[in-house]
Amino acid sequence: LAMATMDIIKHAGEKSDEITIRGITLSMFDIDAVNLDAGRFWSESEHAAGRDVCVVGSDILENLFNEAPPERAVGQEVRIAGRTFQIVGVAEKKGKIFGFSRDSLIYIPYTSYQKLYGARDSLVVFIVRPGNPDYNKDCVISNARAFSSDVTCNSLRPASVCPVWSRDCASR
């Protein structure tokens, strides 16, 4: 799952406008092919608890941390919508596409995003390929129901759009 909005980010008297805040589940790091220059991704327990932790893009270091090396940003704090988030990781630079930076963003746990911005009516979804041997319908439905009680078995066929996928689903 992934949700996004734009917001102002602050750190030690500095601020940066129009930063993309992405509330995601851990599996989205793999889907988005995010690698880290420093630090770590948040843990399953941090995600479940809605901890205020984040992974920042390299533009955040340039704009708010005076181009500090990634290792120095880990453990620092940024303010998003008036709440303090601890930086646990710094994503590798992805560069620009069509003139737009792909590094001017902050990833936060989906559960933290919901607390900060509320639930939204639309979500980013991804496709589960038909015949995928790792597909576990019961696991996907269970994960989806953790976010919405309205999920039905008919809406989650292997060939359909899948609202939630977890690394755990492949191992069950």
Side-chain angles (χ1 to χ4, degrees):
L1 287 172
M3 300 177 92
T5 193
M6 303 290 272
D7 212 333
I8 298 169
I9 307 307
K10 297 178 181 178
H11 169 76
E14 299 291 326
K15 76 174 188 171
S16 195
D17 298 330
E18 299 294 315
I19 301 298
T20 300
I21 309 300
R22 290 200 67 205
I24 65 170
T25 55
L26 280 168
S27 60
M28 288 302 295
F29 284 121
D30 289 334
I31 293 166
D32 285 353
V34 176
N35 295 309
L36 297 178
D37 269 342
R40 62 179 178 83
F41 299 116
W42 56 79
S43 67
E44 289 281 351
S45 62
E46 288 170 319
H47 181 86
R51 294 273 318 275
D52 291 340
V53 293
C54 63
V55 172
V56 299
S58 61
D59 285 358
I60 306 305
L61 298 182
E62 292 175 21
N63 297 333
L64 297 181
F65 291 89
N66 200 25
E67 299 186 36
E71 302 80 31
R72 286 206 6 232
V74 173
Q76 298 290 319
E77 295 177 340
V78 292
R79 293 193 57 80
I80 304 170
R83 288 181 63 166
T84 302
F85 282 74
Q86 181 182 30
I87 299 171
V88 296
V90 178
E92 284 182 352
K93 189 173 190 76
K94 288 191 171 195
K96 293 182 179 184
I97 187 165
F98 303 116
F100 296 100
S101 175
R102 297 184 296 163
D103 302 307
S104 187
L105 59 80
I106 297 180
Y107 295 99
I108 64 174
Y110 179 81
T111 49
S112 299
Y113 184 97
Q114 284 185 307
K115 288 194 296 189
L116 199 59
Y117 298 106
R120 303 282 192 224
D121 292 333
S122 62
L123 301 172
V124 173
V125 295
F126 57 97
I127 306 296
V128 175
R129 291 180 300 171
N132 181 342
D134 290 337
Y135 177 81
N136 183 317
K137 178 180 173 182
D138 293 332
C139 181
V140 173
I141 291 169
S142 173
N143 282 338
R145 285 190 177 142
F147 294 99
S148 172
S149 60
D150 296 334
V151 174
T152 63
C153 294
N154 292 336
S155 67
L156 292 174
R157 296 183 315 275
S160 69
V161 172
C162 172
V164 179
W165 183 258
S166 163
R167 287 181 226 183
D168 294 339
C169 293
S171 62
R172 288 188 183 178

